[in-house]
């Protein structure tokens, strides 16, 4: 007689249980379906459950929860392929969660390396492709000029247009038209920086003109990454982004996934269905929404909160909704800026740098050296991917920096068009090119190739399609209101929208996504309370 192992029996029973739950849920009218299990989706689910709305289901297309929050464990420590830092402290709900759960790195520890943009200028080496170290005084002069121009983007928005830190309910009227009018956003970031830096150069001594111009070009590349865009000509100035007070960047001891895990643990497993990409949402049928997945399963619900990335919405606007979304919402979705950036983590079993080393930034200054490197890299057998301007993709690597708590790892940032091109290259090709660049800029031919490489590849992820959003120069009056508008109306919200791109002031951030998830959940909770609707518990 054959005896089954306990593991086999448990596994079979668990599978049967989840299949039963899936089948039974298809026959139940749910209160809320949440499409997407990233930060916004889980925040919405947590808020609903905490307020007694238990008849919910989260449908996640991938095989894990988190979306663009993905922390992996490696032999070198954690690696954040997506969100990595908390931006701002006072009033930031994610910072409060991190502090409460003791997840924040102690800034007084010797192993702490500040990753802020200001500290890059203070502690990183800025070197040219010949290995020459740029004078610190020149670096600081350009740094101050560029930081002043950057701060104008934060301070230029009229105070009455800045969202209060209290979360705005979606069923309240929107009052943001003035902030997104064409008269308010008068130019692009590229124009703003060009005009401002030209004024700065006119006030300087001319002997350092070339190197200051090279540093300026480096900063423009850094801005491509900060805004997650392909071109600063497409980024509206001044935009709407504001910062919470306190440190602009907070590092986490165990990666950003540790913060997400705190939220995720409040969501019962039976309230989540993984590997459930949604094919179509039928949202105007007898006051009930029907959500059909690609595997053929169909769920029905009174409300649906759509939290998928704006990149996915852009690609599936016409096919994902029945009836089609209103034209003004479609246009608003298409007008949101959304591109990509790539993080490249290089790991060595034995670091080549000393303990005090913090990082090196790549400042290109010589066309002749660029051509020489292009020839060398081509001879290595590495694929040559050229941008539209004819330059190779790797010119869009801003540099490499140490990672707090991971002494054997350097993180590099690949931005703009180069980031997009790099997604077609192998890890081996990227590793070889990065090693050659480090050898040149550090002036050390003995730097060995890394033992391991880890890269973010969000653009090639079919369910995400890129990094995060920005306010584009294509923005039109009323776009933000249309983007966030519940359907068929804010007063009758059957179809709601959340995610970082729908955050007025905190787009591009995890806390922006978190707050929009809560905003959508509160809309439904308020509606139920006002109608005194009976809440079904499953």
């Amino acid at each position: 007689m054959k005896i089954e192992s306990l593991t086999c029996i448990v596994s079979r029973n668990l599978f049967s249980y989840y299949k039963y739950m899936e089948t039974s849920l298809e026959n139940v009218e749910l209160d809320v379906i949440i499409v997407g299990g990233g930060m916004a989706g889980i925040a919405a689910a947590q808020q609903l459950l905490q307020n007694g709305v238990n008849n919910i289901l989260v449908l996640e297309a991938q095989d894990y929860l988190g979306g663009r929050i993905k922390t992996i464990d490696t032999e070198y420590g954690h690696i954040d392929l997506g969100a990595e830092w908390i931006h701002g402290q006072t009033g930031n709900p994610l910072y409060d969660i991190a502090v409460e759960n003791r997840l924040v790195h102690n800034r007084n520890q010797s192993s702490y390396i500040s990753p802020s943009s200001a500290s890059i200028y203070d502690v990183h080496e800025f070197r040219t492709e010949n290995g020459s170290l740029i004078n610190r005084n020149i670096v600081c002069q350009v740094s101050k000029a560029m930081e002043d121009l950057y701060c104008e983007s934060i301070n230029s928005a009229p105070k009455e247009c800045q969202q209060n830190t209290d979360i705005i309910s979606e069923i309240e009227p929107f009052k943001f038209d003035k902030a997104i009018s064409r008269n308010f956003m008068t130019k692009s970031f590229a124009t703003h920086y060009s005009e401002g830096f030209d004024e700065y150069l006119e006030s300087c001594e001319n002997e350092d003109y070339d190197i200051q111009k090279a540093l300026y070009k480096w900063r423009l590349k850094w801005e491509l990454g900060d805004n997650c865009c392909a071109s600063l000509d497409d980024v509206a100035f001044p935009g709407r982004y504001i910062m919470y007070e306190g440190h602009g960047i907070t590092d986490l001891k165990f990666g950003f996934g540790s913060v997400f895990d705190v939220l995720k643990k409040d969501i019962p497993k039976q309230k989540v269905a993984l590997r459930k990409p949604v094919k179509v949402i039928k949202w105007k049928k007898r006051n009930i929404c029907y959500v059909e997945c690609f595997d053929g399963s169909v769920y029905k619900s009174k409300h649906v909160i759509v939290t998928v990335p704006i990149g996915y919405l852009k690609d599936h606007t016409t096919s994902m909704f029945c009836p089609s979304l209103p034209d003004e919402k479609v246009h608003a979705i298409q007008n949101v800026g959304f591109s990509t950036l790539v993080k490249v983590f290089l790991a060595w079993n034995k670091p080549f740098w000393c303990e005090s080393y913090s990082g090196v930034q790549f400042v290109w200054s010589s066309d002749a050296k660029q051509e020489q490197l292009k020839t060398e890299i081509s001879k290595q057998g590495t694929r040559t991917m050229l941008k539209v301007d004819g330059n190779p993709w790797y010119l869009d690597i801003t540099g490499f920096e140490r990672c707090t708590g991971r002494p054997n790892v350097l993180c590099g940032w690949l931005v703009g068009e180069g980031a997009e091109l790099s997604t077609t290259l192998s890890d081996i090709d990227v590793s070889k090119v990065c090693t050659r660049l480090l050898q040149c800029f550090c002036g050390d031919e003995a730097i060995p190739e890394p033992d391991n490489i880890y890269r973010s590849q969000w653009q090639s992820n079919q369910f995400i399609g890129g990094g995060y959003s920005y306010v584009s120069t294509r923005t039109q009056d009323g776009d933000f209101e249309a983007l966030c508008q519940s359907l068929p109306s804010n007063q009758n919200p059957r179809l709601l929208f959340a995610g970082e791109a729908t955050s007025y002031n905190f787009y591009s951030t995890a806390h922006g996504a978190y707050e929009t998830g809560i905003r959508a959940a509160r809309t439904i909770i308020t509606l139920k309370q006002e109608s005194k609707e009976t809440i079904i518990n499953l």
Side-chain angles (χ1 to χ4, degrees):
M1 182 176 172
K2 207 169 189 178
I3 301 176
E4 286 186 281
S5 71
L6 181 60
T7 302
C8 289
I9 295 172
V10 171
S11 298
R12 189 181 70 229
N13 288 342
L14 278 174
F15 177 77
S16 300
Y17 169 75
Y18 284 118
K19 288 301 290 181
Y20 164 76
M21 286 300 299
E22 180 180 311
T23 304
S24 62
L25 284 174
E26 287 187 59
N27 299 318
V28 170
E29 183 182 301
L30 297 161
D31 276 327
V32 185
I33 289 175
I34 300 168
V35 180
M39 179 60 82
I42 293 304
Q46 184 192 52
Q47 187 75 7
L48 289 166
L49 292 169
Q50 288 175 351
N51 286 273
V53 184
N54 297 319
N55 189 15
I56 70 171
L57 179 65
V58 178
L59 297 175
E60 168 54 48
Q62 304 189 88
D63 59 2
Y64 72 95
L65 292 175
R68 285 164 283 178
I69 298 170
K70 190 170 186 180
T71 303
I72 61 173
D73 293 322
T74 75
E75 59 186 296
Y76 307 99
H78 71 268
I79 296 290
D80 277 310
L81 295 175
E84 186 165 0
W85 302 306
I86 294 175
H87 300 283
Q89 297 175 328
T90 305
N92 188 325
L94 297 187
Y95 179 76
D96 293 339
I97 291 170
V99 170
E100 182 180 344
N101 290 274
R102 300 181 179 180
L103 302 176
V104 175
H105 253 296
N106 184 350
R107 290 175 176 268
N108 296 321
Q109 290 179 344
S110 59
S111 62
Y112 183 81
I113 303 164
S114 175
S116 70
S117 61
S119 71
I120 289 177
Y121 289 107
D122 294 335
V123 300
H124 286 199
E125 295 178 348
F126 281 74
R127 292 179 175 270
T128 68
E129 61 271 48
N130 293 311
S132 300
L133 182 64
I134 300 174
N135 184 286
R136 177 67 59 187
N137 290 332
I138 300 175
V139 171
C140 290
Q141 288 171 18
V142 175
S143 163
K144 184 179 185 310
M146 297 304 292
E147 285 297 314
D148 288 347
L149 290 171
Y150 175 77
C151 287
E152 285 184 32
S153 69
I154 303 296
N155 300 328
S156 293
K159 296 300 180 185
E160 65 267 26
C161 297
Q162 294 186 354
Q163 176 180 312
N164 188 281
T165 52
D166 291 336
I167 298 166
I168 296 174
S169 171
E170 278 197 282
I171 59 177
E172 295 177 0
F174 284 93
K175 302 176 181 178
F176 303 130
D177 285 342
K178 181 179 177 182
I180 57 175
S181 70
R182 299 306 304 166
N183 292 329
F184 175 67
M185 293 184 299
T186 56
K187 55 187 175 182
S188 70
F189 253 88
T191 300
H192 172 64
Y193 277 127
S194 178
E195 293 173 350
F197 196 72
D198 285 345
E199 290 180 11
Y200 162 75
L201 285 178
E202 288 176 5
S203 66
C204 296
E205 299 291 338
N206 290 328
E207 65 240 27
D208 299 320
Y209 174 86
D210 289 341
I211 200 63
Q212 290 193 71
K213 196 72 173 178
L215 285 165
Y216 165 70
K217 290 180 178 179
W218 174 89
R219 176 60 185 241
L220 293 184
K221 288 180 183 177
W222 185 89
E223 289 289 351
L224 289 176
D226 193 46
N227 288 280
C228 196
C229 63
S231 169
L232 291 177
D233 286 314
D234 192 45
V235 183
F237 175 84
R240 303 187 309 260
Y241 186 78
I242 62 173
M243 288 283 291
Y244 281 119
E245 294 181 0
H247 289 288
I249 290 180
T250 295
D251 216 334
L252 299 158
K253 289 187 284 189
F254 312 110
F256 209 101
S258 62
V259 176
F260 186 79
D261 288 343
V262 172
L263 305 174
K264 186 175 67 174
K265 68 180 174 57
D266 292 337
I267 314 300
K269 289 184 178 179
Q270 64 268 29
K271 304 295 183 184
V272 176
L274 299 177
R275 303 180 186 86
K276 284 284 183 178
V278 170
K279 182 178 182 180
V280 64
I281 301 171
K282 299 176 181 178
W283 57 275
K284 232 177 182 180
K285 196 170 182 180
R286 298 176 184 175
N287 291 324
I288 293 295
C289 295
Y290 291 83
V291 180
E292 180 182 344
C293 298
F294 276 97
D295 64 4
S297 56
V298 179
Y299 304 89
K300 55 185 177 180
S301 177
K302 295 170 184 173
H303 307 277
V304 175
I305 303 176
V306 179
T307 73
V308 299
I310 197 73
Y312 187 85
L313 269 185
K314 283 173 176 285
D315 292 339
H316 297 84
T317 304
T318 56
S319 62
M320 192 174 178
F321 302 96
C322 181
S324 300
L325 298 178
D327 288 346
E328 58 268 23
K329 184 178 278 288
V330 173
H331 294 152
I333 290 169
Q334 296 305 329
N335 287 342
V336 174
F338 189 77
S339 189
T340 194
L341 78 161
V342 173
K343 291 198 284 187
V344 181
F345 294 90
L346 303 179
W348 287 262
N349 294 334
K350 184 179 180 181
F352 64 83
W353 55 87
C354 62
E355 184 61 32
S356 61
Y357 185 78
S358 59
V360 58
Q361 301 304 320
F362 298 165
V363 182
W364 295 91
S365 62
S366 168
D367 291 339
K369 184 64 174 178
Q370 288 180 28
E371 287 300 317
Q372 180 184 334
L373 273 172
K374 189 190 295 185
T375 301
E376 287 181 17
I377 290 172
S378 178
K379 287 181 178 179
Q380 289 179 347
T382 305
R383 286 176 60 196
T384 302
M385 303 292 293
L386 300 180
K387 302 188 295 178
V388 172
D389 63 8
N391 287 317
W393 63 272
Y394 52 78
L395 262 64
D396 284 344
I397 299 175
T398 59
F400 282 87
E401 58 201 49
R402 291 271 303 278
C403 299
T404 301
R406 290 145 291 171
N408 292 31
V409 179
L410 295 180
C411 177
W413 296 86
L414 186 48
V415 303
E417 190 183 350
E420 296 177 8
L421 291 173
S422 74
T423 58
T424 65
L425 297 171
S426 69
D427 283 348
I428 293 175
D429 282 345
V430 174
S431 177
K432 286 182 177 180
V433 170
C434 289
T435 303
R436 186 65 193 120
L437 293 180
L438 284 168
Q439 290 170 348
C440 291
F441 281 90
C442 294
D444 184 357
E445 296 290 329
I447 292 176
E449 283 193 34
D451 296 291
N452 273 290
I453 178 173
Y454 308 89
R455 288 189 290 163
S456 60
Q457 298 274 30
W458 297 114
Q459 185 186 15
S460 11
N461 185 315
Q462 63 174 315
F463 300 117
I464 294 175
Y468 46 81
S469 70
Y470 61 90
V471 179
S472 80
T473 54
R474 302 183 301 278
T475 299
Q476 300 295 315
D477 291 358
D479 272 2
F480 183 77
E481 180 178 0
L483 180 66
C484 300
Q485 177 86 32
S486 298
L487 296 173
S489 69
N490 285 332
Q491 291 69 39
N492 181 20
R494 287 202 294 275
L495 189 61
L496 302 91
F497 293 81
E500 55 86 10
T502 70
S503 174
Y504 182 70
N505 283 136
F506 306 121
Y507 53 91
S508 79
T509 67
H511 61 266
Y514 175 84
E515 293 184 352
T516 64
I518 292 179
R519 181 186 69 197
R522 285 187 181 176
T523 298
I524 295 170
I525 293 164
T526 301
L527 195 68
K528 288 182 177 295
Q529 290 172 343
E530 290 177 350
S531 64
K532 296 181 180 179
E533 181 179 323
T534 302
I535 296 175
I536 301 173
N537 293 324
L538 285 184

